[in-house]
Amino acid sequence: MAAEPQPKALTRKPLLLNKVEGSQDVVNMAAIVPKEDGVISVSEDRTVRVWLKRDSGQYWPSIYHAMPSPCSCMSFNPETRRLSIGLDNGTISEFILSEDYNKMTLVKSYQAHQSRVMMILFVLEMEWVLSTGQDKHFTWHCSESGQRLGGYRTSAGACGLQFDVETRHVFVGDHSGQVTILKLEQESCSLVTTFKGHTGGVTALCWDPIQRVLFSGSSDHSIIMWDIGGRKGTAIELQGHNDKVQSLSYAHHTRQLISCGADGGIVVWNMDVERQETPEWLDSDSCQKCDQPFFWNFKQMWDSKKIGLRQHHCRKCGKAVCGKCSSKRSSIPLMGFEFEVRVCDSCHESITDEERAPTATFHDSKHNIVHVHFDATRGWLLTSGTDKVIKLWDMTPVVS
């Protein structure tokens, strides 16, 4: 399907605070150091770097550490200063950073996967290290002993990983477009359910433990909000990117979702509105408005002596309609359609100007984003990209 035209960004924009440059390859993941003017990054160039802001206003590496394999992902726990790094060779290496962030000391390594580690989570409450890999496995280890506690084979290589401490549920999103929910015990896990809603691979997950809502981003350009706690399985789509969604972050205090994509877009979604589920697309052999046959309906075409028409679907009511009965387009923000989409003529007449009011703001980061990290205490957003650059943004005019 051709990309829809992107709506204009609203007037409030993120302010670019700084650019951190110096990596020799893609910066796969980075994080803002809490209470410090610093950034931790891992790169495809095999380096782990801790960048601290100098008096000149620029960020320079206080730590430059070369790993034996490209660094694919990381997880940093500020309380313990524990840095877990996933590598392309399947290893997870754990370091402790010094208080002044000038030294990192290797604690232990896990041979967690047979191929590239895709995502890591360190759960302090359980002393667990959770990880997913390209080898189609989810695993978890004890961070104290280094012992492997268990694993689960996913249907495809998994990128998305989130964990709910209260219920010990883990969410795993994979390249098949499926989200698997597992219940973890100390040394065993059980399958709870699977969610299937994306037509492309799941590329990112984000969990809101307060509202009990899971967000999944995909290579199909869409985001789905799965309301697990409140409405028992309600799934709401958000369409705001022209390329695959790469990373998600949630601002709990303002109930805003931040999504970033390969299109360079930073989209801030207002999740404090009553959103509506998109309808299921209905099946029909003829237009459900004018009863004209679709082009595969040979019997009705022969009986009526009419040429069959191409089938479309109204994004508001889900009915199967012909082009003549769906000649209008409209945004439907409360259904997640910030872009204008096809609607049937009767639905177009029913949509009010208030219903067309945008529920998201759109901003251009001017680089292909692979990961995002949001520091809610300062309102700072970090984006890292394939252009080897890390950008720091002040989001307070937007996320407020």
Side-chain angles (χ1 to χ4, degrees):
M1 182 182 293
E4 305 287 353
Q6 184 161 320
K8 293 181 180 178
L10 300 189
T11 52
R12 295 178 299 172
K13 295 181 180 180
L15 174 66
L16 181 62
L17 297 173
N18 222 313
K19 290 200 294 186
V20 182
E21 300 176 280
S23 299
Q24 302 303 308
D25 210 329
V26 177
V27 180
N28 284 317
M29 199 169 285
I32 300 168
V33 180
K35 302 178 183 178
E36 297 282 344
D37 250 337
V39 170
I40 304 169
S41 69
V42 296
S43 171
E44 204 69 27
D45 66 8
R46 300 192 299 115
T47 65
V48 182
R49 308 185 199 211
V50 178
W51 312 79
L52 295 181
K53 193 174 183 181
R54 307 303 184 185
D55 293 339
S56 64
Q58 297 301 307
Y59 288 84
W60 293 95
S62 62
I63 294 176
Y64 178 102
H65 185 87
M67 300 296 288
S69 181
C71 306
S72 52
C73 56
M74 59 168 269
S75 175
F76 179 63
N77 181 266
E79 293 179 51
T80 60
R81 297 191 310 283
R82 185 191 300 258
L83 178 64
S84 307
I85 300 165
L87 302 180
D88 192 60
N89 63 12
T91 302
I92 296 174
S93 295
E94 283 193 350
F95 296 85
I96 297 295
L97 300 186
S98 61
E99 289 187 22
D100 60 4
Y101 292 96
N102 282 309
K103 183 182 179 182
M104 55 190 286
T105 304
L106 180 65
V107 179
K108 64 174 67 72
S109 291
Y110 316 89
Q111 188 57 50
H113 297 276
Q114 299 302 311
S115 56
R116 187 179 181 92
V117 183
M118 299 303 294
M119 191 64 69
I120 304 172
L121 284 179
F122 170 63
V123 184
L124 179 60
E125 294 86 347
M126 311 298 180
E127 296 289 354
W128 286 348
V129 177
L130 315 180
S131 62
T132 59
Q134 276 187 343
D135 60 358
K136 302 182 183 180
H137 276 87
F138 159 75
T139 66
W140 75 103
H141 290 74
C142 173
S143 62
E144 292 296 293
S145 66
Q147 178 185 354
R148 186 181 189 273
L149 299 176
Y152 183 88
R153 182 174 175 84
T154 56
S155 58
C159 284
L161 179 63
Q162 290 287 287
F163 182 72
D164 182 56
V165 174
E166 182 183 344
T167 62
R168 296 190 181 185
H169 285 144
V170 66
F171 307 94
V172 182
D174 64 47
H175 290 312
S176 74
Q178 180 173 287
V179 178
T180 302
I181 303 179
L182 305 169
K183 171 77 178 222
L184 297 192
E185 303 298 344
Q186 187 60 32
E187 295 185 7
S188 66
C189 73
S190 56
L191 176 65
V192 177
T193 188
T194 56
F195 291 158
K196 297 177 182 178
H198 289 289
T199 57
V202 174
T203 51
L205 292 179
C206 185
W207 171 243
D208 174 12
I210 300 170
Q211 302 295 326
R212 307 203 64 75
V213 168
L214 180 73
F215 300 96
S216 59
S218 171
S219 58
D220 65 11
H221 310 180
S222 74
I223 300 162
I224 297 180
M225 181 180 85
W226 309 89
D227 193 339
I228 295 170
R231 283 185 264 172
K232 299 179 181 179
T234 302
I236 292 173
E237 289 185 48
L238 303 174
Q239 301 281 351
H241 288 277
N242 289 316
D243 206 333
K244 64 180 176 180
V245 179
Q246 298 274 50
S247 190
L248 300 170
S249 186
Y250 189 69
H252 298 272
H253 62 301
T254 58
R255 294 194 64 184
Q256 288 174 300
L257 177 72
I258 302 170
S259 63
C260 295
D263 56 2
I266 301 173
V267 184
V268 181
W269 304 86
N270 177 13
M271 302 311 299
D272 200 22
V273 294
E274 192 67 29
R275 294 185 177 272
Q276 304 165 17
E277 272 193 293
T278 51
E280 293 286 337
W281 283 7
L282 301 177
D283 292 324
S284 179
D285 290 330
S286 56
C287 175
Q288 293 180 300
K289 292 293 182 180
C290 69
D291 202 37
Q292 291 272 41
F294 293 133
F295 63 82
W296 61 82
N297 188 352
F298 299 113
K299 184 179 185 305
Q300 189 176 345
M301 284 193 300
W302 177 264
D303 292 344
S304 62
K305 302 295 188 291
K306 292 178 180 177
I307 298 173
L309 302 175
R310 183 183 173 191
Q311 177 184 261
H312 301 281
H313 282 93
C314 172
R315 300 308 193 269
K316 191 172 193 301
C317 67
K319 288 183 177 178
V321 289
C322 68
K324 186 177 179 181
C325 293
S326 59
S327 60
K328 305 289 176 47
R329 305 177 76 82
S330 175
S331 60
I332 321 173
L334 293 181
M335 280 187 165
F337 296 115
E338 297 286 335
F339 302 151
E340 288 192 344
V341 291
R342 182 185 294 274
V343 293
C344 66
D345 292 356
S346 55
C347 281
H348 187 270
E349 292 175 8
S350 71
I351 301 172
T352 65
D353 289 341
E354 289 77 12
E355 290 177 308
R356 291 189 178 94
T359 62
T361 59
F362 294 79
H363 317 282
D364 185 5
S365 71
K366 300 194 186 308
H367 70 156
N368 180 330
I369 299 171
V370 295
H371 184 72
V372 61
H373 178 240
F374 181 63
D375 180 353
T377 59
R378 287 178 281 191
W380 288 4
L381 183 76
L382 177 151
T383 57
S384 57
T386 57
D387 57 0
K388 313 170 191 176
V389 175
I390 300 166
K391 293 185 178 182
L392 284 165
W393 308 84
D394 181 2
M395 300 292 287
T396 49
V398 183
V399 183
S400 59

